Amino acid sequence: MLFKRVSPILLCMLVMAVLALGVAQAQEDAAPTLYATLNPAELDNDALVLLESDFSGAASTFGGLTDVVGIQSVWFDSAGTAYVTVDVTAEEGAIYVYEGLAGAEEMALPEPTRIISGGMTGLAAPKGLIVSESLGLIVVANNGGSNVLAFALDAEGDAEPTLTLTPAADFGGSVWDVAYDEATDALWVAGTTGAAFVYDGFSEAMGMEGPTRTIVPVGEDGQISINLHGIVYDGTSDTLLLSDVGAADSNSDGQLFAIADASSADGEVTPVVQIGGDESLLGNPVDIAYDGENLIVAEKANDAILIYEDFLSMEGMNNSAATTVLEITKPESLAYAGGMMGMEMGDMDDAEATPESPEATEEGSANMDEDTMMAASMTTFESLYATLNPAELANDAITALTTDMSGAIFNGFTDIANIQSVWFDSAGNAYVTVDMNADSGAVYVFDGLAGSEGMMGAAPMRMIGGQSNAGLVAPKGLIVIESLDLILVANNGPANVKGFSLMANGDVSPTVFLQPSVDFGGSVWDLYYAEDIDALFVAGTTGAVFVYDNFSANLGSGGVTRTIIPADSSGAQVSINLHGIVYDSQRDLLLLSDVGAADSNSDGQLFALPNASTADGSTRYIVRWAGDQTMLGNPVDIAFDGENLIVAEKANDAILVFENFAGRIGLRNAAANQVLSFTKPESIAYASGM
C-alpha cells in the first residue's frame, strides 16, 4: 500500500462492524409476518391485512383506498416499506409506496409516500411485483401490457421503466407474477399460458437477450399447466413453486406444482408435487408464499387462505385438503415482511441492503470536513491519482488521493501549457499527456512516481513529442499496454489514436495510427484496452464508442469492428459527448462519462452498458445517472475499483464517488455518496495494480 490507514478509519470500521452485527442480530430475532391483499368487487373492502401468526384471522387491517379501482399485490423491502400495485382505472395501473407500513397499527391507508404512475410508466393492470434492493429495482408483472417492467427503487411519478421484458411473446397470453433469487441470480416469471420463464444471469444481462429457459409442467398426456399465477423459488431445495388458476370460466380447476432442480430445469418438466381436485379447495389460487416448509395459498374463488404443511413431502399427484383453511374475503396476494422472510436469498449472507445515495445537503457535500469525509464511506483511495488542470498553470498538478483525503502534490510543470491525463504502469511509472502549446502536445514519463513523496518541479525522465514525427496535438486520455509494448493516446486535436513503443523517446513516429470517428465526426477523448477480451474501446465526442476487437492480432489495422451508442428504451441516442471510459470484465459492462453540450455545465451523465464484449449499434443502458441532484456538469474522466465509480467532475471542482455503481440499476438523479473538493480535476487513474 502507498499510504497507511489513519486511526479514525479503523475506529469507523469498528463502529460500523458493531452496528452491522446489531442489525444482523435484530433481523435474525425478528419474526416474519405475513400480509395479504384483499380484492373483492367493492372497492370499500379492498385492503391490506396482517395475518395472525396462527392463521386464525386478520390481526390488523389497512383499508380506505380511494381514487383507484382496486388493490392487487404487495411486497415489502427490508425497511418495512410496502410496495403495492393498484388499478387506477381499467386501463391504467400504478405502484403505491408506503414507507414503514410493516409493523404499523391497524389504520386506514394514508396517502402513499410516493406513487409511480402515468403514461410513460406503461403500467396497465399490474399484478405481482418484487423489490430487489441489491439491484436497485422494482420489478412488476405488467399483465395489461403483457410484459415485465422494472423501475428504479426511488422512481416517482410518470417515470420511464429502466427495463421492459416480453417473456411470453412466443407463448401468447401475458404474465402474472415474478420472483428473483439473488444467490442464483435468476429472475422467474409466471406466464398465463402455463409456462414459467427464467432469466439466468439477470444482474449482468438484465434480460436483454430474452429468457434463457422456459419451464412447462407436464404429465403423461402432455402439458398440465393452464394459467400460472403465483411463483416462488426456494433456494434451499432448488425448487420452483407455482400456482395455477386453471381455465377462466372455472372456479374448481386450480392446481399447485413443485418443480425440482429448478436452477437447471428447462422445457417440459414433470412436477415432483402436484395438488388439485375437488378435495383441495383449489379454484383460483392467485398467489403463494413459502416459509421453507409450508406453502400458503391465496385462494380467491373460495374466499380462503390455505396452508399446506410440509408441502414438498407431498410427492406425486394429490387431491387432498389443506392442513389449515382460513376464511377471508377475496385474497389477492401474499407477502412476508420482517425477519429473514422479508429479505432476498442473497441478503442472508451479508444482512445488508444496498444503501441509497444520500441526499445533498443545503450547503453541499463538498464542504464536509475531513473527519466527516472519512466516516462517510469505506471507499479506499490508497492508489488513486488525479490530474488537476485549472486556468493557472502554477496550480496544474498530479495529486495522490490519500485515505484521509489530504492529497500529496506533485507539480511545478513550468514549461508546459497544461496537464491532461495520467496512467501508471505496473512499475509505478507515470505517463502524462500535456499541452506544450496550443498546437503541440507530448507524453511525459516520470519513472517511479507512484508511492514517492510529494515533490515540486520534477523533470520527466523522457518525453514523446514533436511535430515532425510524433504529431501529438491536444492529447487527452492515454493507456499503457505492457503486453503489447504500447502507449496509446487519444489525440484529440487531429481526431485520431496514436500508439508508441513503451520505450519511445523524443520526436518519434507512432507504431499505431487509428482514425475511429471518421464517419461520426467529432474527435476522440479517452480509450481503454480490455486484455481479457482483447478489445480496444475508444470514447468519441459525438456520443459513440468505437471498438477494435482482436486488437492484439492486427493493432486495429482492419478498422473499427463495432460501434456502440448509448440509448434509451426506444433506441434513441442519449449520449452527447463521451469522455471517460472503463471496461468492467467481471460483469461485461462498459462504463462511460458524458460531459454533455459544450455550452452547459449541468448536463453531465454516467452510463453502464451491458454485454460490452458483443454489443453493437444502439445499446440500451442499464445504469444512467443524470440530473440536477447528481452534481454532474463535466465529468471528464472516471475510474472503477470493481464496485465504486470515481468521477473527475471538472465543472464543479469535485471528485465524486458513486458506490456500488453497477448495482444501481436504472435512471437516477441523486447525489454521489461522496464529494471531495478538488480544483479542476482533469483525469483519474489507479496505480499499484489497479
Side-chain angles (χ1 to χ4, degrees):
M1 293 184 178
L2 301 180
F3 304 94
K4 294 181 180 178
R5 293 186 185 273
V6 292
S7 57
I9 289 288
L10 294 174
L11 177 61
C12 182
M13 290 177 69
L14 178 60
V15 171
M16 292 185 71
V18 172
L19 290 174
L21 285 172
V23 171
Q25 185 62 49
Q27 288 172 330
E28 185 176 321
D29 293 342
T33 50
L34 187 62
Y35 288 77
T37 60
L38 310 183
N39 185 351
E42 306 81 18
L43 174 62
D44 290 346
N45 295 322
D46 279 28
L48 173 69
V49 299
L50 168 62
L51 301 176
E52 294 282 7
S53 58
D54 61 358
F55 297 107
S56 59
S60 300
T61 301
F62 308 88
L65 278 170
T66 59
D67 301 324
V68 299
V69 175
I71 193 171
Q72 294 295 333
S73 295
V74 64
W75 188 273
F76 291 88
D77 67 15
S78 63
T81 298
Y83 298 74
V84 182
T85 51
V86 300
D87 294 319
V88 179
T89 67
E91 293 80 27
E92 182 181 351
I95 301 171
Y96 279 13
V97 182
Y98 299 93
E99 290 186 1
L101 190 63
E105 296 296 324
E106 180 170 320
M107 61 179 174
L109 282 170
E111 287 295 313
T113 309
R114 54 190 166 95
I115 297 174
I116 304 171
S117 181
M120 292 288 289
T121 68
L123 289 168
K127 303 297 182 183
L129 79 165
I130 55 110
V131 172
S132 172
E133 293 169 85
S134 63
L135 299 181
L137 286 179
I138 307 165
V139 184
V140 185
N142 193 38
N143 180 261
S146 298
N147 54 27
V148 174
L149 304 177
F151 300 88
L153 267 185
D154 56 359
E156 185 171 5
D158 194 4
E160 183 182 5
T162 60
L163 291 175
T164 301
L165 309 176
T166 54
D170 296 337
F171 281 77
S174 188
V175 293
W176 197 276
D177 200 9
V178 288
Y180 176 67
D181 177 62
E182 185 173 344
T184 57
D185 194 20
L187 178 72
W188 310 80
V189 182
T192 60
T193 52
F197 308 101
V198 191
Y199 293 84
D200 294 304
F202 183 67
S203 68
E204 297 183 7
M206 286 291 134
M208 294 295 185
E209 298 178 357
T212 51
R213 295 179 285 131
T214 301
I215 299 173
V216 180
V218 297
E220 293 181 357
D221 298 324
Q223 182 173 339
I224 54 177
S225 56
I226 299 170
N227 186 349
L228 297 180
H229 272 42
I231 188 166
V232 170
Y233 174 74
D234 176 42
T236 302
S237 62
D238 191 21
T239 302
L240 184 66
L241 307 173
L242 301 164
S243 71
D244 189 322
V245 301
D249 57 356
S250 173
N251 284 340
S252 61
D253 61 346
Q255 299 179 89
L256 302 172
F257 303 116
I259 305 295
D261 303 318
S263 60
S264 58
D266 195 7
E268 296 183 345
V269 181
T270 301
V272 292
V273 179
Q274 179 185 358
I275 297 179
D278 56 351
E279 297 295 326
S280 69
L281 204 65
L282 291 170
N284 288 326
V286 286
D287 199 20
I288 53 176
Y290 187 63
D291 65 5
E293 181 179 357
N294 309 304
L295 189 72
I296 302 95
V297 182
E299 170 45 56
K300 189 171 184 179
N302 291 303
D303 297 310
I305 289 177
L306 311 177
I307 297 91
Y308 291 88
E309 294 182 1
D310 199 12
F311 180 73
L312 294 184
S313 69
M314 303 173 67
E315 298 179 357
M317 173 60 189
N318 293 267
N319 180 7
S320 55
T323 312
T324 302
V325 179
L326 167 62
E327 293 183 3
I328 199 161
T329 305
K330 301 303 175 199
E332 183 70 39
S333 76
L334 296 163
Y336 277 104
M340 301 309 286
M341 291 300 165
M343 305 174 69
E344 299 172 31
M345 293 295 296
D347 293 334
M348 295 184 183
D349 295 329
D350 51 26
E352 182 180 4
T354 302
E356 283 299 296
S357 297
E359 293 297 326
T361 63
E362 186 174 345
E363 295 79 17
S365 309
N367 295 324
M368 291 190 292
D369 61 30
E370 181 179 308
D371 291 338
T372 303
M373 194 83 73
M374 287 189 296
S377 174
M378 288 293 98
T379 305
T380 300
F381 294 90
E382 290 159 334
S383 304
L384 190 62
Y385 289 76
T387 61
L388 309 182
N389 185 349
E392 306 80 18
L393 174 61
N395 294 323
D396 278 26
I398 300 175
T399 298
L401 305 180
T402 65
T403 49
D404 63 0
M405 310 307 169
S406 61
I409 305 299
F410 309 86
N411 65 2
F413 299 114
T414 56
D415 59 341
I416 57 178
N418 55 57
I419 192 171
Q420 295 295 332
S421 295
V422 63
W423 188 275
F424 290 87
D425 65 17
S426 61
N429 302 318
Y431 299 74
V432 184
T433 50
V434 300
D435 292 322
M436 304 296 293
N437 53 55
D439 302 312
S440 179
V443 176
Y444 276 14
V445 183
F446 297 90
D447 287 354
L449 188 62
S452 60
E453 297 296 326
M455 52 189 174
M456 303 293 290
M461 305 305 173
R462 52 195 168 94
M463 180 195 79
I464 304 168
Q467 287 306 294
S468 297
N469 297 301
L472 292 173
V473 180
K476 303 299 181 184
L478 80 164
I479 58 170
V480 173
I481 311 174
E482 294 175 78
S483 62
L484 301 180
D485 186 34
L486 275 180
I487 306 165
L488 287 180
V489 183
N491 198 30
N492 180 261
N496 56 38
V497 173
K498 291 193 171 185
F500 301 88
S501 169
L502 277 182
M503 299 309 297
N505 192 11
D507 189 7
V508 296
S509 297
T511 59
V512 172
F513 180 83
L514 310 173
Q515 288 188 304
S517 63
V518 173
D519 296 334
F520 282 77
S523 189
V524 293
W525 196 276
D526 199 9
L527 64 179
Y528 193 94
Y529 177 63
E531 190 157 359
D532 54 340
I533 61 171
D534 194 20
L536 176 69
F537 296 93
V538 182
T541 60
T542 52
V545 176
F546 309 102
V547 189
Y548 294 84
D549 292 307
N550 302 312
F551 183 70
S552 65
N554 56 27
L555 299 182
S557 60
V560 174
T561 51
R562 295 180 285 131
T563 302
I564 302 173
I565 300 173
D568 60 18
S569 59
S570 70
Q573 180 173 341
V574 291
S575 55
I576 299 170
N577 187 350
L578 297 179
H579 272 42
I581 187 166
V582 171
Y583 174 71
D584 173 23
S585 60
Q586 182 180 355
R587 303 171 183 85
D588 194 21
L589 293 178
L590 191 62
L591 310 179
L592 302 164
S593 71
D594 189 322
V595 301
D599 58 355
S600 174
N601 282 340
S602 60
D603 61 346
Q605 302 179 88
L606 302 172
F607 300 110
L609 306 184
N611 306 314
S613 60
T614 56
D616 196 4
S618 294
T619 302
R620 184 175 181 179
Y621 64 81
I622 60 169
V623 178
R624 181 185 181 191
W625 287 78
D628 57 351
Q629 299 300 308
T630 64
M631 204 171 167
L632 292 170
N634 289 325
V636 287
D637 199 19
I638 55 176
F640 187 61
D641 65 4
E643 181 179 357
N644 310 303
L645 191 73
I646 302 93
V647 181
E649 169 47 53
K650 190 171 184 178
N652 289 304
D653 296 309
I655 291 175
L656 311 177
V657 182
F658 293 88
E659 295 180 0
N660 189 28
F661 180 76
R664 312 287 287 283
I665 305 299
L667 175 59
R668 294 176 175 272
N669 180 10
N673 297 85
Q674 220 172 335
V675 181
L676 318 177
S677 295
F678 277 93
T679 304
K680 301 304 174 201
E682 182 70 37
S683 76
I684 197 157
Y686 276 104
S688 295
M690 300 302 291

